[in-house]
Amino acid sequence: MSENKSDILKTQPEIYSRDEHDISRNEIDSDALKIMYRLIRAGFKAYMVGGGVRDLLLGKKPKDFDITTDATPRRVKALFSNSRIIGRRFKLVHIFFGGGKIIEVSTFRDVSDPVEGDEAGDEVAQLAADNKYGTEVTDAIRRDITINGLFYDLSTFSVIDYVGGIRDLSDRVIRVIGNAEVRFKEDPVRMLRVVRHAARAGFAIHRESWDAIGELKGLIASCPSMRIYEELKKDMQSGHFLKILRLLAQSQLLDQLLPELLHDFPALFDDKSTASVLLKEIDERFRVGKGPSVAVVLSVLVLLAAPGFRVRTGEPVQLWQTEEELGAHLSGCFQKLSVPRRERERVESMLYAWFAVRQQDSDGEVDLPSVDFEVFEDFLLLLELVGVEERVIAEIERGGASRKRRARSATDSARGRPRRRRRRGGAGRRGERSEDSAGESVD
């Protein structure tokens, strides 16, 4: 960061006492409370930080309860036998609890620490720099956005704000900490996170941050494509993917991620379009914990990227005449993302199976390529919502796919495994919508 460290250390926080905020200990995970109490009793500072504080102030249930402290990782580990130090560049401590719960504890970071995503020039110097620790003010200043830079101090039940996060929560604004242009150049992925938080919370992006995204959007291409894919994967599973895609399109970042979707830019903003109907359904399923696999979401994006995919209820869709045409379309998708080979193979198998069914004569038997039937069925049931898959599903159940499913069930029974049931219920049932719109936070 470009700020002078001596000036940063002089920063005085706004402190909001218990009667000035709505966070209650009753809303904080009991194991997170135990960790903070033990650190405090051992003479250390211990704050809940980040998304957990933000969500509680917004009246939401946090997904994570991260903790930051002035205790070094080794000291934290010495206090908790159920813990492990992780990380190569900057050490964190994961503390393990029953049911697979993990609470992350980090040591206050210094403003001179390299930020996530920076390329190491000198590995020895880089690792040495990572061993520096800071104070609560340097830790707050080096975070991405103001609403994620708040601390909850269990020892005083107060909220500590070095970055204006409380003001921005009140104003419903997403603001980058420090100079937005500098912070985006340090790590261009921050632009995606700004968009994510704005779309999820329904907040506006601060003008300086918005203008900097417009100027620096091309820097996304300099980031490892696998890292970009992992960020977009979080968005796909967030329950807010449609809203995020719309804001990515408005900010012109979508051209750096999924330019194949820009051929039908207006459809993303038409609530009655095929794109909006499908993506809304995917979001609803994730919000109620019944989201489809990432391969299904990617397969839907492949269809939406096809210029001929315009449907109204009951109309047939024929996008490709040959497998070669389908293959050419698939090869043109996700060129700016490093989609893992396994996911690409799943997507390809579903699209080729879909194409094979559509090529079958209505009186003929369906002969499908190798495909995961339950994942494929999720894909078809999504498409059924826009009225194009009734015949396809009927063909599969009447033809060879149903026999393969019965054979697999018989094999599972012989091995003592319970039969897996079809996923037509809940939010996935045609014609039904869940009333539960509460989502989980993604930090």
Side-chain angles (χ1 to χ4, degrees):
M1 294 181 64
S2 61
E3 292 89 344
N4 184 282
K5 183 174 179 179
S6 62
D7 291 337
I8 289 174
L9 293 174
K10 296 175 184 177
T11 303
Q12 295 299 311
E14 295 287 339
I15 298 179
Y16 297 84
S17 61
R18 177 64 187 89
D19 59 353
E20 294 178 297
H21 64 79
D22 296 326
I23 296 179
S24 167
R25 281 174 294 170
N26 295 330
E27 300 170 309
I28 300 174
D29 181 272
S30 60
D31 291 319
L33 291 173
K34 291 175 185 176
I35 293 171
M36 287 187 283
Y37 277 129
R38 186 176 297 181
L39 285 166
I40 292 168
R41 286 196 299 267
F44 299 108
K45 294 180 179 179
Y47 303 141
M48 186 171 70
V49 67
V53 181
R54 177 200 68 220
D55 287 347
L56 288 175
L57 289 170
L58 290 173
K60 298 180 179 180
K61 182 178 180 180
K63 178 183 177 183
D64 300 306
F65 293 88
D66 295 337
I67 295 168
T68 188
T69 178
D70 59 348
T72 64
R74 289 186 179 277
R75 290 184 178 272
V76 174
K77 189 175 188 312
L79 288 172
F80 299 93
S81 59
N82 55 325
S83 67
R84 183 176 68 187
I85 296 176
I86 67 162
R88 176 176 174 273
R89 296 181 59 188
F90 189 85
K91 305 300 183 185
L92 303 168
V93 179
H94 278 181
I95 303 179
F96 301 88
F97 297 92
K101 182 199 302 183
I102 299 174
I103 294 179
E104 185 173 280
V105 179
S106 63
T107 303
F108 294 150
R109 298 193 66 171
D110 190 71
V111 290
S112 61
D113 283 343
V115 296
E116 183 182 5
D118 282 350
E119 294 297 329
D122 180 339
E123 183 172 337
V124 175
Q126 186 78 23
L127 293 175
D130 284 349
N131 291 325
K132 293 180 183 178
Y133 299 111
T135 66
E136 59 193 72
V137 60
T138 61
D139 191 83
I141 291 293
R142 74 177 312 285
R143 293 178 181 270
D144 287 353
I145 59 177
T146 59
I147 63 172
N148 286 347
L150 300 168
F151 300 136
Y152 175 73
D153 182 1
L154 184 61
S155 66
T156 61
F157 312 125
S158 61
V159 173
I160 302 173
D161 182 5
Y162 285 96
V163 293
I166 293 291
R167 179 190 64 237
D168 288 340
L169 278 175
S170 177
D171 293 341
R172 299 178 64 82
V173 169
I174 300 297
R175 183 196 306 262
V176 173
I177 296 173
N179 183 291
E181 184 175 335
V182 171
R183 302 307 301 279
F184 291 154
K185 286 180 179 178
E186 286 176 341
D187 184 5
V189 168
R190 286 194 173 117
M191 292 186 280
L192 304 185
R193 293 174 180 162
V194 165
V195 168
R196 173 189 301 152
H197 285 290
R200 286 177 50 81
F203 285 13
I205 297 176
H206 185 260
R207 172 54 60 184
E208 179 190 336
S209 302
W210 180 260
D211 290 344
I213 289 173
E215 293 176 8
L216 303 174
K217 58 185 180 294
L219 292 180
I220 289 292
S222 66
C223 299
S225 54
M226 176 56 75
R227 186 175 175 221
I228 298 299
Y229 168 75
E230 291 297 332
E231 290 292 326
L232 198 61
K233 180 179 174 181
K234 295 177 187 176
D235 296 331
M236 293 178 194
Q237 299 173 307
S238 69
H240 301 273
F241 191 36
L242 176 57
K243 291 192 294 184
I244 292 170
L245 282 177
R246 287 174 172 177
L247 195 51
L248 287 171
Q250 289 176 321
S251 66
Q252 300 180 7
L253 282 169
L254 192 62
D255 188 43
Q256 309 299 319
L257 307 170
L258 294 165
E260 53 268 36
L261 294 183
L262 292 177
H263 71 85
D264 195 16
F265 183 94
L268 284 176
F269 298 89
D270 178 0
D271 286 340
K272 295 182 180 179
S273 71
T274 300
S276 292
V277 169
L278 291 174
L279 293 170
K280 281 181 182 178
E281 179 66 16
I282 288 170
D283 284 340
E284 286 191 18
R285 295 187 186 190
F286 275 113
R287 284 198 289 268
V288 298
K290 297 180 182 293
S293 71
V294 172
V296 169
V297 182
L298 291 171
S299 297
V300 168
L301 293 179
V302 169
L303 289 183
L304 296 180
F309 194 68
R310 307 284 190 281
V311 299
R312 291 188 298 272
T313 301
E315 288 189 357
V317 176
Q318 187 63 49
L319 297 177
W320 306 285
Q321 298 299 320
T322 64
E323 286 191 355
E324 287 72 20
E325 290 181 7
L326 169 57
H329 177 69
L330 282 165
S331 66
C333 293
F334 312 130
Q335 291 192 352
K336 296 197 175 186
L337 304 175
S338 285
V339 178
R341 185 177 68 177
R342 185 178 180 185
E343 293 294 352
R344 280 190 175 273
E345 289 173 350
R346 287 175 174 172
V347 170
E348 290 173 0
S349 68
M350 273 190 283
L351 269 296
Y352 280 114
W354 187 67
F355 177 81
V357 173
R358 289 187 156 278
Q359 292 295 96
Q360 288 288 336
D361 184 272
S362 60
D363 295 325
E365 186 173 283
V366 179
D367 183 20
L368 290 180
S370 175
V371 68
D372 183 322
F373 285 100
E374 291 199 9
V375 175
F376 187 42
E377 191 172 43
D378 276 349
F379 176 59
L380 294 178
L381 290 172
L382 275 170
L383 297 184
E384 191 178 18
L385 292 170
V386 291
V388 298
E389 295 309 321
E390 291 91 340
R391 183 184 70 80
V392 175
I393 292 174
E395 291 282 345
I396 288 176
E397 294 188 341
R398 182 181 60 79
S402 62
R403 290 195 296 276
K404 291 179 182 179
R405 189 181 295 112
R406 288 197 297 272
R408 183 182 60 191
S409 297
T411 301
D412 288 350
S413 297
R415 293 175 178 173
R417 294 189 300 211
R419 180 176 177 178
R420 300 179 69 180
R421 301 177 64 182
R422 290 186 60 184
R423 297 175 61 189
R424 279 185 179 271
R429 185 174 297 158
R430 178 177 49 171
E432 293 185 6
R433 286 284 196 272
S434 168
E435 295 180 358
D436 183 357
S437 61
E440 294 183 344
S441 68
V442 177
D443 295 328

